[in-house]
Amino acid sequence: MGKSFRFSLSAEPRQLDPQVAEDAASVAVVSALFEGLTRLDEKGKAVAAAAEWTVSEDGLTYTFRLRPSKWSNGDPVTADDFVFGMQRTVSPATGSGLASRLSGIQGAAAVMAGELPPEELGVRAVDASTLAVTLTEPDESFPEKVAGTPFFPCHRRFFEETGGRYGLETKYLVTNGPFTLSNWSHGESLRLTKAEGYHDQGDVYPAVVRYIIGEPEDPLAALKAGTLDAAELSPEQAKEAADAGMRVVELEDTIQMLWLNNGVSALSSAKVRTALRDALEWDAVMKQAKSAVHVPAEGYIAPDAVVGSGEKYRTGDNARIFSTDRTAAAQALADGLAEKALTAMPRLTVLCADDAYSQRVALYVIQSWQKNLDIYAELEPLSPSQLTARVSVGNYQAAICPSTAPGLTAMDALGMYVSHASKGNWARFGDAGYDALYAELQAGAAGREELDRLEEKLVELCPSIPLTFQRRSIGIPAAVSGLIIRPFGGGAYGAPVDFRRAGKVEG
């Protein structure tokens, strides 16, 4: 207990305001500085955090009773702080891309549409330590949802005093979580220290946590030297780490995706997109996959994703296996081009990472299209950072680029393809029918059957083409214990690394 830990952040946090934090770096830090009504355990299930809760018999009203705790400035944390935080999230004035996560709360849709004031949201402070949340429909997964940053509290008076600078600097932030922000050296690091007023401070082991901004040049060397306490490793490095006695955590939260830019005229047709998918020589492409890292994708939802109950979504019974169908592909291409009044498919450029494996897979994709559809394409390899930058802003036609959903649940993965999705819709896909079906399921508790139906809709519309499920490896030094590594970078429900109960044996 009382040890110091170091982790890396891939980028500078944009700001540390929980109600608007969406980039991975900001969410990672915010999740350590603030605490929601619940938090997720190692299996992704909700447990009591800032509050204990009960639910009414009809499943519509959740009552949370706060544990006595203090803000980092010494003020008590109250029910009104949570009410104000949620009101800020859905308020159009905030402009939060996370507002839709509160859509199941009574009045949320009308508030977001500007038809009701934020004060009409179905959240109220019963007294200083009790708040009640009323839903539009029963939702058994609601305790998991409130572990997310848009449900975090906001100190109303302090927020108003910051004059619009809330979360931008250390002095413009008060927090209620297990750690406080003691220093933020922009572009270099953030230093977090154990919070004295936290209600469960005896169960928080680290004394100091430092986030280093920027990816390490050699993560394995950093783990061995003790300058990092967890880091993502290549397959080769992961084997070396395991041989050296380190703990290696395997995650299956990433999909190697063949992105199709739906904003391109020809690719705006679902028939053209399905033609490109069904024309792939799948057996030949999959033979290129590194079995230790890549396995054939079974759909748009990665293996580590869960349904609301915390169980894994992928069971084997809901696998979508793609195969080559030259006849169907040729007919779909002809029909799709006719719909777009095009006489021929334009020549495409396929982007990919500049490593040998990615280029080999991309060449098989291009050869498949040439062989089965007489479509010609050229290859443009890029560095991984350039590739992600191009695809994320839509500056591409087709691209092979990894995709990780912004949250832990299957609904988070499927939400990437909603027209107004704030994160992850790199295909620039939009379909009114899909949006409506997603909204219907989001308002209630989407079970496995409903999720299957929504994923099948994506298979039908083919906004992009899942190629492989990709395994990632996280290395942890043998001297470090108690770290919880979360898939999907922690998603919207927490940091990628939960270090509350981390310990270290000094060598």
Side-chain angles (χ1 to χ4, degrees):
M1 297 175 68
K3 304 297 184 181
S4 177
F5 292 82
R6 286 173 172 251
F7 307 101
S8 67
L9 287 177
S10 58
E12 173 93 14
R14 294 175 186 170
Q15 39 63 41
L16 299 177
D17 179 349
Q19 273 63 55
V20 297
E22 291 188 75
D23 62 289
S26 296
V27 172
V29 179
V30 161
S31 297
L33 295 175
F34 288 83
E35 181 171 74
L37 297 164
T38 66
R39 61 181 176 86
L40 301 186
D41 65 13
E42 193 167 0
K43 296 182 179 180
K45 292 293 292 179
V47 296
E52 303 277 357
W53 75 90
T54 57
V55 59
S56 60
E57 288 189 12
D58 61 8
L60 292 178
T61 302
Y62 282 79
T63 301
F64 296 91
R65 292 176 176 81
L66 301 184
R67 297 170 168 178
S69 194
K70 293 182 179 180
W71 288 98
S72 54
N73 67 352
D75 291 345
V77 178
T78 69
D80 182 66
D81 296 324
F82 283 92
V83 171
F84 182 58
M86 292 184 220
Q87 289 174 347
R88 279 195 63 228
T89 298
V90 298
S91 172
T94 303
S96 175
L98 304 170
S100 63
R101 295 189 179 275
L102 277 68
S103 60
I105 298 178
Q106 193 175 86
V111 174
M112 288 186 280
E115 298 168 0
L116 287 176
E119 291 73 22
E120 294 298 316
L121 182 69
V123 184
R124 64 186 181 89
V126 178
D127 55 44
S129 59
T130 310
L131 69 150
V133 182
T134 304
L135 308 182
T136 57
E137 296 181 22
D139 182 359
E140 293 181 358
S141 66
F142 188 68
E144 279 75 33
K145 291 178 180 177
V146 298
T149 60
F151 294 87
F152 283 4
C154 183
H155 191 305
R156 186 189 300 263
R157 178 177 54 79
F158 182 87
F159 171 81
E160 293 171 348
E161 290 174 351
T162 62
R165 292 167 290 187
Y166 183 66
L168 296 179
E169 299 284 352
T170 306
K171 64 181 177 180
Y172 299 128
L173 193 68
V174 292
T175 59
N176 76 313
F179 297 91
T180 60
L181 182 62
S182 58
N183 182 262
W184 184 356
S185 298
H186 291 279
E188 297 181 4
S189 65
L190 298 93
R191 186 176 188 271
L192 282 60
T193 54
K194 184 175 177 178
E196 295 183 2
Y198 180 60
H199 65 84
D200 200 17
Q201 60 178 300
D203 205 33
V204 178
Y205 295 175
V208 175
V209 173
R210 187 181 297 275
Y211 281 108
I212 310 301
I213 298 171
E215 298 284 5
E217 291 186 11
D218 187 338
L220 181 56
L223 293 175
K224 289 180 176 179
T227 55
L228 284 180
D229 292 294
E232 185 167 343
L233 304 174
S234 70
E236 296 75 18
Q237 289 174 327
K239 183 179 184 307
E240 185 178 342
D243 291 343
M246 293 189 191
R247 175 186 168 206
V248 177
V249 178
E250 303 287 357
L251 302 176
E252 293 182 291
D253 59 359
T254 300
I255 301 176
Q256 191 75 4
M257 192 75 72
L258 173 51
W259 291 100
L260 303 173
N261 189 340
N262 294 195
V264 174
S265 179
L267 299 178
S268 65
S269 165
K271 291 180 179 179
V272 170
R273 298 193 299 268
T274 56
L276 296 177
R277 179 191 67 204
D278 295 343
L280 290 181
E281 295 284 338
W282 282 96
D283 289 343
V285 172
M286 288 304 112
K287 282 182 180 178
Q288 308 310 308
K290 299 177 181 178
S291 59
V293 181
H294 297 271
V295 297
E298 298 177 352
Y300 291 83
I301 301 171
D304 277 342
V306 299
V307 294
S309 62
E311 300 174 353
K312 293 290 180 70
Y313 168 75
R314 299 244 80 97
T315 62
D317 295 331
N318 54 11
R320 272 80 185 179
I321 305 299
F322 303 115
S323 59
T324 309
D325 191 334
R326 300 175 184 83
T327 302
Q331 185 61 57
L333 179 64
D335 293 345
L337 292 177
E339 284 181 356
K340 296 299 176 181
L342 295 171
T343 57
M345 186 72 181
R347 190 179 186 93
L348 298 175
T349 297
V350 179
L351 309 183
C352 74
D354 56 7
D355 61 273
Y357 166 73
S358 297
Q359 293 184 66
R360 191 165 61 249
V361 171
L363 286 172
Y364 272 87
V365 167
I366 290 172
Q367 290 168 7
S368 297
W369 291 344
Q370 181 176 345
K371 173 184 176 182
N372 296 323
L373 294 175
D374 289 326
I375 291 175
Y376 291 84
E378 58 187 32
L379 180 63
E380 184 180 350
L382 298 169
S383 70
S385 60
Q386 289 175 319
L387 175 64
T388 301
R390 287 275 297 274
V391 176
S392 64
V393 300
N395 183 16
Y396 77 101
Q397 295 171 316
I400 297 176
C401 184
S403 168
T404 303
L408 306 176
T409 71
M411 279 294 284
D412 290 316
L414 297 171
M416 294 168 61
Y417 294 93
V418 175
S419 300
H420 60 269
S422 61
K423 187 176 183 181
N425 190 357
W426 291 351
R428 284 2 188 218
F429 169 75
D431 180 82
Y434 181 82
D435 289 355
L437 183 56
Y438 181 85
E440 176 187 330
L441 298 184
Q442 189 182 40
R448 195 178 299 278
E449 183 177 341
E450 291 81 8
L451 292 166
D452 284 350
R453 183 158 50 103
L454 194 54
E455 187 179 31
E456 191 59 42
K457 186 70 172 176
L458 277 187
V459 173
E460 174 190 334
L461 296 170
C462 192
S464 57
I465 304 173
L467 295 177
T468 61
F469 291 151
Q470 181 175 339
R471 183 177 292 111
R472 298 190 300 122
S473 301
I474 309 298
I476 303 170
V480 175
S481 63
L483 289 184
I484 297 176
I485 306 296
R486 300 190 188 281
F488 304 100
Y493 305 115
V497 181
D498 183 341
F499 42 76
R500 287 165 45 100
R501 303 192 70 179
K504 184 184 294 186
V505 177
E506 299 293 352

